[in-house]
Amino acid sequence: MKIQTPALPRIDCLMVAAATPLTADLHPDIKLLVRHIEMLFGAGCDGIALFGTTGEGTEFSVEDRTEALDGVIAAGVAPGRLIVSVGALSIPDIARLAHHALDRGVDSLLLMPPCVYRGGITEDGTFRFYATVIDRISRVDLKLCLYHFPDICGVPLTTRVIRRLDEAYPGIISGVKDSGGDLDFTEALIGRFSHLSIYTGSETHLPQTLAAGARGTICGLGNAMPRLMRAMFDAPTAFDRRKLVPALLGGDSILSRKPFPASVKAVLASASGEPGWNRVLPPMSEIAMPERDWLLRDFFSWEQNLPPAWRTFQPSEQEDRSQVVKMKRA
């Protein structure tokens, strides 16, 4: 694997929330995951978030997640280019995952509020959850990125809770990943917490959020269109970045017809020639035929209509195909 710089960039940071390939017995396929990460770095991504929402992280055991992280680092991925999601249902499991990742030197940890009880969790309860986790981990090297995704967990991260945590644990709260889809809220986070790393999870908001001072994105779309995402970051102005939004929306609308992790995996299975990519963890299901064929037809047709430099899986004949070859190798 190509050697990466040891740390994430402070601005214009393109992080991909990596999908997790599975073996036949539903454990992480570490070799295939490493190939995927290699492809993403080769396409211009700055870092990888492991075991987030797109990566189906909370459905894996602690052992699966720690072994996969060890395998990725052993393959040559710089740990400073990794953010590791440590979400789990029990606080002791969160602490175990956190200690393991911190011992490996990862950039930071990502943690969403718990997904049980949902509407019964108050702001005080959300603060208490994070405070208990931080106290249980009890590490001076802890950097915790709060994860706002109420559509998934049912519990919002309000600015009041973020402020309380930041004041109670100065230097521990390193940032916020905002996947709420509300641009006004994201811009409010950037304005109120300028000392934190604010990442948007809504790729189409990147022109506005980068201009406002966001550090970058931690996104799922980067699995299937990293070169297009890189082109948006590399565009010289916010106006030029906005020109790429319709292209992003076109691909996103195709992948969003079905549950997003399964759609991304269907694309990766087809592009890499690895049918195992289609596997998803229960309670999700693979995309059934003929819907999967329709999705793939439309996605690759959409990609073919992009400028060659923006294509991940169908570069022009003149362009270097080395990254595609790496994905398809046995």
Side-chain angles (χ1 to χ4, degrees):
M1 176 177 289
K2 181 182 177 181
I3 301 299
Q4 308 97 38
T5 56
L8 297 172
R10 297 302 305 171
I11 60 172
D12 293 347
C13 182
L14 173 54
M15 298 281 298
V16 176
T20 310
L22 304 176
T23 62
D25 53 356
L26 302 183
H27 296 290
D29 186 327
I30 298 173
K31 290 183 179 180
L32 200 54
L33 177 59
V34 168
R35 290 184 212 164
H36 182 50
I37 292 172
E38 183 179 36
M39 183 275 288
L40 294 174
F41 280 133
C45 299
D46 296 306
I48 304 295
L50 290 175
F51 295 115
T53 304
T54 303
E56 304 167 80
T58 54
E59 306 302 314
F60 289 103
S61 69
V62 170
E63 291 74 20
D64 276 342
R65 293 158 76 174
T66 55
E67 289 175 11
L69 176 59
D70 285 343
V72 166
I73 293 173
V77 177
R81 300 282 290 277
L82 298 173
I83 291 179
V84 177
S85 176
V86 294
L89 292 183
S90 82
I91 289 176
D93 284 347
I94 295 171
R96 288 175 61 197
L97 290 164
H99 278 283
H100 178 270
L102 293 172
D103 287 344
R104 281 14 178 217
V106 302
D107 175 86
S108 54
L109 307 180
L110 182 66
L111 182 60
M112 186 188 298
C115 60
V116 293
Y117 302 114
R118 296 174 69 86
I121 299 178
T122 64
E123 285 187 327
D124 283 341
T126 304
F127 174 83
R128 182 170 178 247
F129 165 74
Y130 279 108
T132 304
V133 166
I134 292 169
D135 291 342
R136 179 67 64 92
I137 295 170
S138 188
R139 296 269 297 248
V140 295
D141 58 343
L142 172 60
K143 292 194 296 180
L144 187 63
C145 185
L146 309 176
Y147 190 1
H148 174 67
F149 203 168
D151 284 352
I152 293 293
C153 72
V155 181
L157 265 174
T158 64
T159 54
R160 186 181 311 176
V161 170
I162 297 169
R163 177 71 68 191
R164 285 182 66 188
L165 288 167
D166 188 38
E167 291 176 351
Y169 299 98
I172 295 294
I173 306 303
S174 63
V176 181
K177 180 193 175 187
D178 178 17
S179 294
D182 181 345
L183 178 59
D184 289 339
F185 182 75
T186 310
E187 291 181 329
L189 292 179
I190 296 168
R192 295 182 188 184
F193 303 102
S194 58
H195 60 294
L196 300 181
S197 296
I198 308 299
Y199 297 96
T200 180
S202 302
E203 297 89 344
T204 56
H205 293 166
L206 272 168
Q208 298 96 317
T209 57
L210 289 175
R215 185 173 181 181
T217 184
I218 302 174
C219 66
L221 279 181
N223 286 281
M225 53 187 80
R227 290 179 183 269
L228 178 56
M229 295 295 304
R230 184 72 260 168
M232 176 172 280
F233 275 87
D234 291 344
T237 68
F239 178 78
D240 293 306
R241 287 168 173 160
R242 287 192 182 98
K243 292 179 181 178
L244 278 72
V245 169
L248 282 176
L249 285 171
D252 186 26
S253 66
I254 297 168
L255 295 174
S256 298
R257 292 178 191 168
K258 296 294 179 181
F260 186 77
S263 296
V264 165
K265 285 187 165 185
V267 168
L268 294 173
S270 178
S272 67
E274 292 280 1
W277 261 116
N278 282 307
R279 301 185 186 110
V280 292
L281 287 170
M284 285 190 292
S285 300
E286 296 179 16
I287 301 175
M289 294 295 193
E291 286 88 352
R292 187 166 69 203
D293 279 348
W294 297 339
L295 182 145
L296 293 173
R297 176 200 63 197
D298 293 346
F299 180 84
F300 289 113
S301 175
W302 163 83
E303 191 193 46
Q304 187 61 46
N305 288 320
L306 296 176
W310 297 358
R311 302 174 197 162
T312 296
F313 306 117
Q314 301 177 94
S316 67
E317 291 296 333
Q318 292 76 28
E319 192 174 356
D320 179 12
R321 293 175 176 265
S322 61
Q323 297 305 322
V324 179
V325 170
K326 287 177 181 178
M327 282 195 70
K328 291 186 176 181
R329 70 189 180 196

